[in-house]
Amino acid sequence: MDIPRSLKEILTTLPSDGKVTLVAVSKFHPAESVIAAYDAGQRVFGESRVQELVAKAAELPDDIQWHYIGHLQTNKVSQLLKVSNLSLIESVDSFKLLDVLETTAQKLSRRIDILLEIHVAREETKSGFNTAELISWYKNGGPSNLKFLRIRGLMGMATNTDDETEIRKDFQSITTCFNKIKELSSTPEDFDILSMGMSGDYQIAIGEGSNMVRIGSSIFGERSY
Ligand SMILES: *Cc1c(COP(=O)(O)O)cnc(C)c1O
């Protein structure tokens, strides 16, 4: 894979106003692949395992903005929050995890930006909140208890299918939920990230309102897992 070239190709397909952030998903690819993209100008990278993010962050440049995008186990939170250039946790998928993140961030005196992961896809294996529970949590003022976490928006995935209509419908559901929550939020100006779209469906996602896409295989090649 010619990483600089595939990265450039992806960038040319994003809106030219720069309003869509590209997260280069480097999971299961070696540090050299990250460097190849970094040297081509990319600064935002996504990882889905704590061990791997911690190891890469230790050896790679400090001005990389790391995003955590995988399922996060509560016993790994403290290790993850010690990474100084961790910039966003995109995959907060339960109230329990929110609690542990808040407590740990407080312990480390660190403010952390997060996204709430919402589950709309057909697959039961995917994790995340459902729309109704998030909305009722907001209506009950739940987020006001969080002092160290700043909820920046939502992350979501569409059903893994070739049916474009179904993919589009999933993204529309996520966008609708995003707009409702923004209305309910006491800090709507902070609630500004809608992360949806991966290699196979990011163009559809952008069409439905995404302003952050997480792209792995189209930049780095296929993963061996
Ligand atoms: C792996 C992963 C991606 C990237 O997927 P590609 O199909 O390789 O672009 C995006 N988001 C999440 C949450 C992932 O786990």
Side-chain angles (χ1 to χ4, degrees):
M1 198 85 178
D2 182 345
I3 292 169
R5 183 161 154 215
S6 45
L7 175 67
K8 276 199 188 90
E9 274 169 13
I10 295 286
L11 287 170
T12 58
T13 65
L14 300 182
S16 55
D17 59 13
K19 284 186 180 143
V20 175
T21 300
L22 171 62
V23 181
V25 176
S26 50
K27 65 185 185 196
F28 306 111
H29 289 280
E32 300 81 71
S33 298
V34 178
I35 282 295
Y38 178 91
D39 287 342
Q42 180 66 23
R43 289 295 178 271
V44 184
F45 292 89
E47 288 286 338
S48 63
R49 290 184 180 179
V50 172
Q51 227 83 341
E52 195 175 343
L53 189 152
V54 168
K56 282 176 178 161
E59 76 171 287
L60 290 165
D62 286 340
D63 63 341
I64 286 178
Q65 298 159 43
W66 292 104
H67 286 200
Y68 189 77
I69 63 169
H71 176 66
L72 178 55
Q73 291 167 274
T74 52
N75 63 355
K76 302 258 172 76
V77 162
S78 137
Q79 218 189 335
L80 183 64
L81 296 198
K82 282 176 189 152
V83 175
S84 60
N85 53 335
L86 172 76
S87 94
L88 184 65
I89 301 175
E90 297 200 25
S91 43
V92 177
D93 57 5
S94 71
F95 292 117
K96 165 92 180 130
L97 178 58
L98 265 178
D99 277 351
V100 173
L101 280 166
E102 170 72 12
T103 315
T104 310
Q106 176 165 25
K107 228 176 263 166
L108 298 171
S109 306
R110 175 159 190 202
R111 294 216 62 180
I112 301 286
D113 281 357
I114 64 158
L115 302 181
L116 301 171
E117 181 174 353
I118 170 166
H119 177 104
V120 298
R122 234 188 310 132
E123 297 96 334
E124 284 304 319
T125 48
K126 287 183 174 150
S127 52
F129 294 97
N130 67 55
T131 303
E133 69 180 333
L134 270 194
I135 289 184
S136 76
W137 185 60
Y138 267 86
K139 283 188 172 154
N140 293 320
S144 64
N145 297 323
L146 304 173
K147 308 289 182 228
F148 290 84
L149 303 183
R150 185 164 62 154
I151 302 177
R152 296 295 308 275
L154 297 185
M155 186 271 262
M157 278 181 266
T159 302
N160 188 7
T161 170
D162 289 332
D163 181 354
E164 200 179 307
T165 311
E166 188 174 1
I167 295 172
R168 194 173 292 283
K169 234 181 64 216
D170 284 349
F171 287 142
Q172 283 166 355
S173 309
I174 299 167
T175 302
T176 302
C177 180
F178 177 84
N179 291 333
K180 276 190 200 147
I181 291 180
K182 197 175 173 73
E183 252 173 58
L184 292 169
S185 171
S186 55
T187 51
E189 65 287 354
D190 285 345
F191 196 84
D192 58 356
I193 301 176
L194 181 51
S195 174
M196 48 184 204
M198 331 199 324
S199 291
D201 58 17
Y202 75 93
Q203 311 251 29
I204 306 173
I206 292 170
E208 298 305 329
S210 168
N211 59 18
M212 184 171 280
V213 292
R214 310 174 310 274
I215 299 183
S217 44
S218 291
I219 297 172
F220 296 107
E222 291 304 323
R223 296 175 289 273
S224 45
Y225 77 103

